Amino acid sequence: MAGPGSYLIGEEEKKNLLEVIEAGWLYRYADASAANFKAKVLQLEQELAQYIGIKRVVAVNSGTAALFVALAALGIGPGDEVIVPGYTFIASIGSIVYSRAVPILAEIDESLTLDPQDVRKKITKRTRAIMLVHMLGNPGHIDHIRNLAREHNLQLVEDCAQAFGATYKGKSVGVYGDIGTFSFNFYKTITAGDGGAVVMNDEDLYRRAFAVHDQGHLPLRDGVEQGSRALLGLNFKMTELTAAVLLAQLKKVDALTMKLKENKGRFKDGIKDISGLTFRTLPEPQGEIGTLLTVFLPNADIARKVGDELGCGVVADSGWHVYNNMEHVLGKKVVDSVGCPFTCPYYTNNGGNVNYEIGMLPQTDSILSRAINISVGVSDAGLGSGFGISILSDNDEIDAKVEQFRKCVKKHL
Ligand SMILES: Cc1ncc(COP(=O)(O)O)c(C=O)c1O
């Protein structure tokens, strides 16, 4: 079971794709007046900007690329620390290391997103940014974290990969930070298999982000050079094929999240009376997209029994999302032979010294060992989920799963 958008791939996606294939121009650049150029990437950037409510969007080829581009646009690099939750997808951490900055792992709270109190404790003279990850379809503590960032003159990056369509105080996630990122991989709200976006309001950041994703070029060239390039970039461009699919998916997102929330509400109503069972706290209940329902059992032992019986394990098991299971992070396994960024003199000469150990975030460990993810619209073994329903489930199927869950929990409580 993949993400909710993957279930809705149909005629609209096919039509958009065929339009591009038949025209034969798959690259984001061309002379704008060329008849065979459908400008799908540009259109997607404009439609995403409108949907999110932000001035600028750079479409890229993955959520990981989006994070790398965002950090580079902010100028984050050697000697800098970026605070990131110990419960997130590996890409949040990897993108910081590949920016040659040092990830500082912080605790989550029962919202399963950054705990503002721990973030405050982790700020040092080397901190340049906080990466707030809106995990499992729900916004984190945006106000708290943003205030902290402002107070300490830090950049705020919102990793919204898992929360396209989620809102906070009526606005989309991604508009609150200095820069935001999204993913359109197969497990995300809407999908083209892979894809991503970087979003921001600041024009200078936009020019930098665009340049990083396209060999240093200025935004929106017609496929030809336009003046001198201010910085080196790489290539993280999206293709017309990806954009064609995403334009069709974007039209489905509101109906999709409405259905997810309805299904999640039904599941939650069906289990909320079980005493001893509690739910993830939601900093913005109205703003969630409803892809997953996370419950807490009273202790790790009971959670393990329930998770094993349901076949989904506990969230602490997730190999891609829990720092304890990231052997490459724990071992600082970087690609170069000198251990950059951890051994970088810009870092060590400024007092920097970081080690990652199993159990270093006891609050996170305790929370995740008691947590079970019930899939509502996305199921991914790597996410620590696998039991639940899908966006296509009808009420009978939901009720049957509710019954199965109730019986299992009651047996072990
Ligand atoms: C929180 C988070 N950040 C970043 C990413 C990376 O996105 P992608 O797989 O598109 O590179 C993901 C993807 O799973 C994610 O969940």
Side-chain angles (χ1 to χ4, degrees), residues 25-224:
W25 195 270
L26 312 188
Y27 187 49
R28 82 159 285 167
Y29 288 119
D31 178 343
S33 62
N36 63 346
F37 179 46
K38 301 300 170 193
K40 296 291 184 195
V41 177
L42 178 61
Q43 190 188 340
L44 178 72
E45 288 176 340
Q46 289 165 345
E47 289 194 17
L48 281 174
Q50 196 170 16
Y51 183 81
I52 292 164
I54 201 149
K55 287 199 187 120
R56 295 298 193 178
V57 174
V58 179
V60 292
N61 54 15
S62 74
T64 307
L67 283 168
F68 179 79
V69 168
L71 293 169
L74 292 172
I76 287 167
D80 296 336
E81 289 178 349
V82 178
I83 298 175
V84 60
Y87 175 54
T88 182
F89 184 60
I90 183 67
S92 318
I93 300 170
S95 63
I96 299 169
V97 173
Y98 270 81
S99 309
R100 292 153 302 133
V102 172
I104 299 297
L105 304 185
E107 300 272 19
I108 54 155
D109 61 18
E110 289 201 357
S111 72
L112 304 184
T113 69
L114 274 178
D115 174 357
Q117 287 185 27
D118 195 54
V119 172
R120 184 182 284 283
K121 287 189 210 148
K122 299 273 159 80
I123 295 172
T124 71
K125 62 180 176 184
R126 296 172 295 278
T127 311
R128 271 288 304 282
I130 303 171
M131 189 182 286
L132 175 60
V133 187
H134 303 302
M135 283 300 274
L136 311 178
N138 208 86
H141 300 285
I142 292 180
D143 277 349
H144 279 104
I145 300 288
R146 192 157 72 142
N147 288 341
L148 261 179
R150 282 191 180 145
E151 201 184 304
H152 294 270
N153 205 15
L154 306 174
Q155 309 280 3
L156 177 59
V157 181
E158 288 182 77
D159 179 347
C160 314
Q162 297 191 9
F164 184 75
T167 58
Y168 183 81
K169 297 193 170 169
K171 291 188 196 164
S172 168
V173 292
V175 306
Y176 289 95
D178 295 283
I179 201 156
T181 63
F182 291 89
S183 161
F184 304 117
N185 83 20
F186 210 46
Y187 297 91
K188 300 304 185 268
T189 322
I190 59 170
T191 187
D194 260 316
V198 190
V199 308
M200 65 245 107
N201 280 313
D202 183 86
E203 276 302 307
D204 190 44
L205 262 186
Y206 172 58
R207 275 192 296 275
R208 284 181 62 92
F210 203 95
V212 174
H213 112 292
D214 182 22
Q215 312 291 9
H217 287 295
L218 289 168
L220 308 181
R221 65 196 171 93
D222 276 352
V224 291

